[in-house]
Amino acid sequence: MTMLNDPETLAEITSLADLYEKALGDNDLGTLDALFHDGPETVRYGVGENLYGFEEIQEFRQRRPGGSPPRKVLRRVITTIGRDVAVVDLEFQRLGGTKIGRQSQTWFRTGQGWKILAAHVSLMADVS
């Protein structure tokens, strides 16, 4: 039976999710790139774009002036599946914004450490 939320694995992914959030806020492209799997299998569905493969994701970030809009994380759920797969889901609100955003990431352990294989970002209707 596959174990959910092994404490050691959960601590690793929690630390990486914190690192991702900091890198996103700082527009630290090197760290963001390092956290994604560098391969054609990697997918990121954004608010206004569908990106297939690491190169498209990297190019999108390089073209985006100023990086991601500042945001506040409202809720985060991290679930590890065994010792080599994890899912990070969170709700956020852009500072000054009126919409709730959602982000999901699928992480897997590689020979080079944990990497994001799939990500999805979306915005819901206004909450006001």
Side-chain angles (χ1 to χ4, degrees):
M1 177 180 242
T2 301
M3 174 188 249
L4 294 180
N5 293 331
D6 166 69
E8 182 180 320
T9 307
L10 187 59
E12 290 176 32
I13 291 298
T14 298
S15 177
L16 287 166
D18 291 343
L19 176 63
Y20 177 90
E21 199 61 31
K22 180 176 181 349
L24 189 66
D26 293 345
N27 198 31
D28 180 349
L29 301 183
T31 297
L32 292 170
D33 285 348
L35 293 173
F36 273 75
H37 173 63
D38 185 353
E41 309 85 359
T42 306
V43 175
R44 180 186 175 276
Y45 294 144
V47 173
E49 66 284 337
N50 296 328
L51 306 170
Y52 295 92
F54 177 81
E55 290 177 4
E56 285 187 15
I57 296 166
Q58 184 181 47
E59 184 179 305
F60 166 77
R61 283 207 182 93
Q62 290 171 352
R63 285 193 330 256
R64 183 168 57 181
S68 180
R71 68 188 194 176
K72 176 183 178 185
V73 174
L74 304 174
R75 183 174 183 176
R76 182 172 74 176
V77 176
I78 299 175
T79 305
T80 65
I81 306 160
R83 298 182 65 77
D84 298 320
V85 178
V87 179
V88 177
D89 295 294
L90 61 86
E91 290 180 46
F92 65 88
Q93 188 166 19
R94 291 178 174 167
L95 299 184
T98 59
K99 296 179 187 267
I100 297 295
R102 298 172 290 184
Q103 174 183 292
S104 297
Q105 298 170 332
T106 303
W107 293 72
F108 76 115
R109 190 188 305 269
T110 73
Q112 296 76 43
W114 285 96
K115 302 293 180 179
I116 299 167
L117 183 63
H120 181 204
V121 181
S122 61
L123 295 174
M124 298 173 62
D126 284 341
V127 293
S128 56

